[in-house]
Amino acid sequence: PDSPLPPQAKRCTGRPACRGEVRGAARQAPLEWFAMATMIVIGIILEVCAAALGTLSKQLIAYSEHLQRRRLYILGAFLNILVGPAVDASAYAFAPQIVIAPLACLDVIFNTLTAPFTLRWQQERLTRVHFIAVGLVALGAMFTAVFGSRSDDSISIKELEGLLTKTTSIIFFIIEGGILFILIACLRAGLLSPTVRGISLGLVAGVLVGNVFCMKGLAGIIRDTLAHGHADAWARPTPYILLAGAAGGA
């Protein structure tokens, strides 16, 4: 009763043909909801696959170092640099960012749970600290879904550029770039203790992977081009900047 009437109902004057249009629109609404739910499920499946590929690729790289087999390293790097990000980008084309972004933490969870069995020579052991860390990751993902923006409206390339060039966005980019520069410089100079180094590596990785707006924006442009044939966006530098940002985060 509280749902808005379809446009046909607002124009209906009681004519039989008009009433048929209203009934047809009412029957179409569940189909549209089912199609949307199906796309979200596909997006979730793709993101879970992307996280699994991320875990597999990193463990292949570690395994190649242990066995001194370059082919395993090439395979792991190929999955990590090309296949995983492609699957990840596809997920953002099917489902809202608020649904997909928290699932990125599955990479950490998968690696924590499987490394003691797949990388035994490293003598990985699940400790209370590991479980606390995984719980914090899951808690952060949950808060992202609860408090994040639920709007996933399709926006034009000019609207996207307007969001990225806002004062708050520019301040965010400057602060983020400064933090990354300082952390990476300290890591390369060896100025950090092992504990602080581990935390810093986690911060750098989290900040880079957390820039999902690059992936989401690029996926939105691709989806808009395929669905409506709007190819004029590719004549602007924005898609290529987003591509570089998404590739750098990967």
Side-chain angles (χ1 to χ4, degrees), residues 131-143:
F131 285 106
I132 293 175
V134 170
L136 290 175
V137 171
L139 189 64
M142 182 185 69
F143 283 161

Side-chain angles (χ1 to χ4, degrees), residues 66-79:
H66 177 65
L67 298 179
Q68 295 297 312
R69 292 186 180 180
R70 183 170 177 78
R71 290 183 179 180
L72 289 178
Y73 177 83
I74 294 174
L75 177 59
F78 175 74
L79 292 175

Side-chain angles (χ1 to χ4, degrees), residues 54-73:
T55 300
L56 176 63
S57 63
K58 294 177 180 64
Q59 293 191 7
L60 281 174
I61 293 174
Y63 211 73
S64 69
E65 182 69 21
H66 177 65
L67 298 179
Q68 295 297 312
R69 292 186 180 180
R70 183 170 177 78
R71 290 183 179 180
L72 289 178
Y73 177 83

Side-chain angles (χ1 to χ4, degrees), residues 2 38 70 73 109 122 133 181 222 242 245:
D2 297 331
T38 301
R70 183 170 177 78
Y73 177 83
I109 296 175
Q122 293 185 350
F181 177 80
I222 295 174
L242 293 176

Side-chain angles (χ1 to χ4, degrees), residues 197-227:
R197 175 182 171 83
I199 296 174
S200 300
L201 287 172
L203 286 173
V204 171
V207 168
L208 291 176
V209 175
N211 289 332
V212 294
F213 56 84
C214 293
M215 191 75 73
K216 179 63 177 178
L218 181 62
I221 294 173
I222 295 174
R223 182 174 58 185
D224 185 61
T225 302
L226 295 177

